[in-house]
Amino acid sequence: MGSEVISKSKEFYNILRCLQDEESNEPFAYEEDIQMLKTDGDRIPVLKMYCGSQTVFICEKAVPKTNEPDDKPMKETTNCNDSSDADNDDDAIDINAIALLTEVGPQPLTIAKARQLLSWYTLSQNTNVSSIDNNPALHPLWVRCDMSDPAGTTWFGAETVCMGKRVSGVKLYSVTCKGSTADKASLITLEQLKQEHNKRHHTCSVTIKGSARFILFGSTVVENTMIESQSSVTVDFKWSHVESILETPPLSSTATLNIKVANGDMRSPMYEMYRELEFLQTLADGLRTGETEWVEPLESMSAVNLTTAFLDELRDTSKTLKNQTAKTTTNAEVKPETDIFNSFLERGDLDFVEQLWVRMRRSVTSYQDIGDCLKLVTEALRYGDVKPWIHRDSSSSLSKLILQSYHQQIDHVSLTGVTPVQMLLEMGLDKMRKDYINYLIGEELTTLNHLGYYLSTEVDLQEQVIRLRKLHHLLEIIVTCSTFLGLTYDRLFLLTQSCLQHYKTHPYDEEHEFKLQIKPALISHFYQKEQPVLWGAEVSSGHGAREVRTSLTLSDRPLVDHVIFESGEHYSQHDTWLQMYFVPSKVQIILLFFNCFFFR
């Protein structure tokens, strides 16, 4: 019997080791009805609390595929009331029915099977078992459970504990869960939590730590209508000496902001700048794919007419270059953006090329428009009709032609093919980079030396657009935290440096959460009268391999996705804690020769 168990554990280890070494995260079928997969812990709410973002193995019941009928073509039914289709009902496949079948979520295993899998995992890491080689540590293993035991267990987990590169122990996790309640009085008390802990570890000395999460910025409800937002700013608190369930985090807590901002939020002061960036991206995509989806123009006047009027305005003036600039800036027929936007990024020193970009990006609807506008400009430069001024550090092709026009020597430019689009894209890149520099340096959040990566023109245009998008995302984050949270300068400075460093080595990702330490007193007015979306207390005792932890987590939404809970009564929006889910989890750290039968 013992040799069979060891053999099974070794086989199980080999499968996990193969999954760990594989780059792919595709599910793996084990035995007849078990599915194993590798994923990041932060993708699953419960695991995120204990494993963070580290890679974990998940074992769950395999769900049979339902969307692959026996080589029969899939037919979509049109109108179920149409009698003309009645004869085809037997052959047609109801798309909606299939959609329902394929939306089956993850399924749990039995408690007995979950314990068996953890037993094999534990034995495979036990160097005291002679038949098992000295194996490298595996990723943590988590098994979905069906709550069939008296405790209502929803997860079992195991995680290796290492001293150096040697596995010295295993943490065993047991997560139990109950349904929702809107009655605070029905929640477990702190004393009851201590008693639950004492059932596993008899001790007179325990430590109780608290944690909580509040939403500071995100989706909002206006007149009973939910306004969804892909952006969110939450704050995580941690403190010691918890005195009661659901207590407000004290000002002595440590607090960390979790900042995730998506571009394009209409509430953002950066929204108009985002639209400008999207037009820039449209040009870049057109160069890359050969196809462009033009948006509706923001100006009623055509691009050619706007450009002609702009050039006429320059021709008619006889004032000095400085006065010309002041006049063109004052009389420009470009509609101002929102007042908030102007206060952040609008510049009063737009040169000729930048003003031309603003007009063209709001009015062009075809490649022909771009070519015609640039032809008008290049001809005016060639014949000396206009002598526009430009910024000294301008790097676009049109800027170089303007510099040449000062000496009546202009290179011939063939405005055919993709050349006009490339020229317009360069104009936009130049202008928007200066917009971002103007804000970041003006607010003293960084220096030009730290922006070198984002401002480089040595890379190709596509890479320049990617880096500009990163810079825009950085500003979205900074402006959101400044405008809606009122963060102090020192916090904004640190956040700026963190974002700049991150994007130098990481790809563009709006889902990434940036972290920022902050003093609770700076944001106390946001959370002290609000209810947390997550609240927890952890009782711990013992040290090292004899440490035992019992934790309670309260959430405003289910933390377990493979079990359906009774939702109970429907409460009004004025009730406190609408859907509070009670999720106490017990955590044990034990030596490897302890096996999974300690889960009782």
Side-chain angles (χ1 to χ4, degrees):
M1 181 66 180
S3 60
E4 182 181 349
V5 172
I6 293 175
S7 176
K8 280 287 189 180
S9 65
K10 192 167 186 177
E11 175 190 342
F12 191 60
Y13 166 82
N14 290 334
I15 293 172
L16 292 178
R17 171 55 57 185
C18 288
L19 281 176
Q20 184 158 316
D21 295 338
E22 282 283 339
E23 293 185 3
S24 172
N25 291 335
E26 292 297 318
F28 177 82
Y30 178 66
E31 295 185 343
E32 292 184 358
D33 61 346
I34 298 177
Q35 175 175 278
M36 303 167 63
L37 56 98
K38 183 173 62 175
T39 186
D40 294 334
D42 57 7
R43 294 179 179 272
I44 301 174
V46 171
L47 274 59
K48 184 177 181 179
M49 291 189 291
Y50 300 113
C51 302
S53 60
Q54 68 173 311
T55 303
V56 298
F57 296 122
I58 303 294
C59 283
E60 58 192 23
K61 186 175 182 179
V63 179
K65 295 181 179 179
T66 58
N67 58 347
E68 296 182 5
D70 298 335
D71 298 326
K72 292 182 180 180
M74 186 178 293
K75 298 181 181 179
E76 184 174 355
T77 57
T78 54
N79 188 339
C80 60
N81 295 322
D82 191 346
S83 59
S84 63
D85 292 333
D87 295 336
N88 297 326
D89 285 348
D90 293 337
D91 297 326
I93 297 175
D94 190 336
I95 300 300
N96 293 328
I98 289 179
L100 289 174
L101 288 173
T102 55
E103 287 176 1
V104 175
Q107 298 297 303
L109 297 172
T110 63
I111 295 294
K113 191 62 182 180
R115 284 175 170 163
Q116 186 181 58
L117 294 178
L118 257 68
S119 176
W120 292 343
Y121 176 92
T122 303
L123 283 173
S124 74
Q125 298 296 282
N126 192 345
T127 55
N128 295 321
V129 178
S130 58
S131 300
I132 300 296
D133 298 329
N134 188 13
N135 297 319
L138 292 170
H139 293 319
L141 174 70
W142 285 81
V143 187
R144 298 182 187 271
C145 303
D146 61 2
M147 297 183 68
S148 58
D149 61 333
T153 302
T154 56
W155 284 97
F156 277 149
E159 177 183 3
T160 56
V161 177
C162 298
M163 295 183 64
K165 294 184 179 180
R166 179 185 174 87
V167 176
S168 59
V170 167
K171 285 183 184 179
L172 295 180
Y173 297 82
S174 171
V175 180
T176 62
C177 190
K178 293 183 180 180
S180 62
T181 179
D183 182 11
K184 185 176 178 180
S186 67
L187 297 175
I188 189 174
T189 64
L190 206 58
E191 190 59 37
Q192 289 171 329
L193 185 63
K194 292 179 184 178
Q195 293 174 6
E196 181 69 22
H197 178 80
N198 287 334
K199 292 178 183 178
R200 293 174 175 269
H201 193 220
H202 299 287
T203 178
C204 58
S205 176
V206 296
T207 301
I208 307 178
K209 297 180 179 180
S211 62
R213 168 171 291 188
F214 292 80
I215 295 177
L216 304 185
F217 177 81
S219 300
T220 57
V221 177
V222 178
E223 295 181 353
N224 296 325
T225 301
M226 175 65 73
I227 300 177
E228 296 291 342
S229 174
Q230 299 303 312
S231 302
S232 67
V233 180
T234 62
V235 57
D236 288 336
F237 293 95
K238 292 184 179 180
W239 69 97
S240 302
H241 311 299
V242 179
E243 297 181 358
S244 63
I245 299 297
L246 290 177
E247 73 177 18
T248 300
L251 294 178
S252 59
S253 307
T254 60
T256 304
L257 292 180
N258 310 298
I259 306 162
K260 185 179 75 171
V261 175
N263 293 339
D265 192 327
M266 295 184 68
R267 296 174 296 174
S268 171
M270 293 286 294
Y271 181 67
E272 288 299 328
M273 201 69 178
Y274 163 77
R275 294 176 66 182
E276 188 170 353
L277 180 65
E278 284 300 286
F279 179 77
L280 195 83
Q281 185 68 61
T282 297
L283 296 178
D285 291 343
L287 286 177
R288 181 170 50 84
T289 65
E291 298 180 0
T292 302
E293 293 185 10
W294 301 98
V295 297
E296 286 293 320
L298 301 176
E299 295 287 341
S300 58
M301 188 182 296
S302 70
V304 172
N305 289 342
L306 274 175
T307 304
T308 300
F310 185 37
L311 293 172
D312 288 343
E313 186 178 320
L314 292 178
R315 289 191 187 98
D316 294 341
T317 184
S318 58
K319 296 181 180 181
T320 63
L321 184 61
K322 181 177 180 180
N323 288 335
Q324 285 180 0
T325 305
K327 184 176 187 299
T328 54
T329 301
T330 303
N331 296 338
E333 296 178 11
V334 180
K335 297 177 181 178
E337 317 292 4
T338 63
D339 292 337
I340 297 179
F341 172 73
N342 284 338
S343 65
F344 277 105
L345 292 177
E346 187 184 33
R347 293 186 289 120
D349 64 341
L350 297 184
D351 67 10
F352 171 80
V353 176
E354 292 171 325
Q355 292 185 56
L356 181 62
W357 156 261
V358 172
R359 287 167 170 78
M360 290 182 66
R361 79 101 176 167
R362 297 174 66 90
S363 59
V364 296
T365 57
S366 66
Y367 291 126
Q368 185 68 41
D369 280 351
I370 299 175
D372 290 345
C373 291
L374 293 179
K375 184 178 180 181
L376 289 171
V377 174
T378 55
E379 286 182 349
L381 292 173
R382 190 176 304 280
Y383 294 117
D385 294 342
V386 292
K387 295 287 185 180
W389 77 277
I390 58 172
H391 290 294
R392 182 178 300 177
D393 57 349
S394 298
S395 60
S396 66
S397 298
L398 184 57
S399 296
K400 294 174 182 177
L401 290 178
I402 293 173
L403 287 175
Q404 292 174 2
S405 74
Y406 295 163
H407 307 286
Q408 289 79 43
Q409 294 178 347
I410 299 180
D411 293 338
H412 173 72
V413 178
S414 177
L415 296 175
T416 58
V418 299
T419 301
V421 182
Q422 289 177 336
M423 292 179 66
L424 185 59
L425 181 57
E426 291 172 355
M427 293 161 57
L429 284 166
D430 229 14
K431 187 261 182 187
M432 295 190 73
R433 277 193 289 252
K434 287 185 175 66
D435 289 338
Y436 297 150
I437 293 172
N438 183 66
Y439 177 79
L440 290 172
I441 294 182
E443 296 294 321
E444 298 183 352
L445 295 174
T446 188
T447 64
L448 274 177
N449 291 335
H450 289 90
L451 293 173
Y453 166 83
Y454 301 94
L455 306 180
S456 174
T457 57
E458 301 299 319
V459 294
D460 62 45
L461 289 176
Q462 297 294 334
E463 178 62 23
Q464 289 183 45
V465 173
I466 291 173
R467 295 185 184 188
L468 189 71
R469 290 191 74 88
K470 291 180 177 181
L471 204 55
H472 178 90
H473 190 218
L474 180 152
L475 259 77
E476 289 270 15
I477 293 169
I478 299 303
V479 171
T480 295
C481 291
S482 173
T483 306
F484 298 107
L485 301 183
L487 295 191
T488 56
Y489 167 76
D490 64 313
R491 296 297 93 190
L492 292 175
F493 180 84
L494 288 177
L495 181 58
T496 301
Q497 302 310 308
S498 173
C499 294
L500 287 173
Q501 288 299 321
H502 172 82
Y503 266 147
K504 282 184 180 180
T505 55
H506 292 81
Y508 179 80
D509 181 14
E510 292 183 18
E511 293 299 314
H512 178 75
E513 270 192 351
F514 290 92
K515 308 288 185 180
L516 180 68
Q517 297 292 318
I518 192 168
K519 295 180 179 179
L522 296 177
I523 54 172
S524 59
H525 55 289
F526 282 105
Y527 72 88
Q528 286 195 336
K529 294 183 179 180
E530 300 295 327
Q531 297 286 2
V533 294
L534 204 64
W535 191 95
E538 181 182 84
V539 182
S540 62
S541 59
H543 300 281
R546 296 188 178 276
E547 182 184 29
V548 178
R549 289 182 285 168
T550 303
S551 63
L552 164 74
T553 302
L554 302 171
S555 171
D556 69 342
R557 63 193 61 194
L559 294 176
V560 179
D561 57 359
H562 58 268
V563 177
I564 299 176
F565 297 96
E566 293 290 338
S567 60
E569 303 175 31
H570 295 283
Y571 301 95
S572 74
Q573 62 176 341
H574 301 292
D575 283 320
T576 302
W577 293 91
L578 285 179
Q579 290 268 316
M580 183 56 63
Y581 287 84
F582 169 61
V583 189
S585 56
K586 291 85 180 176
V587 185
Q588 287 184 299
I589 302 178
I590 56 179
L591 295 176
L592 282 176
F593 52 79
F594 292 144
N595 59 38
C596 63
F597 293 104
F598 277 86
F599 288 113
R600 291 196 295 267

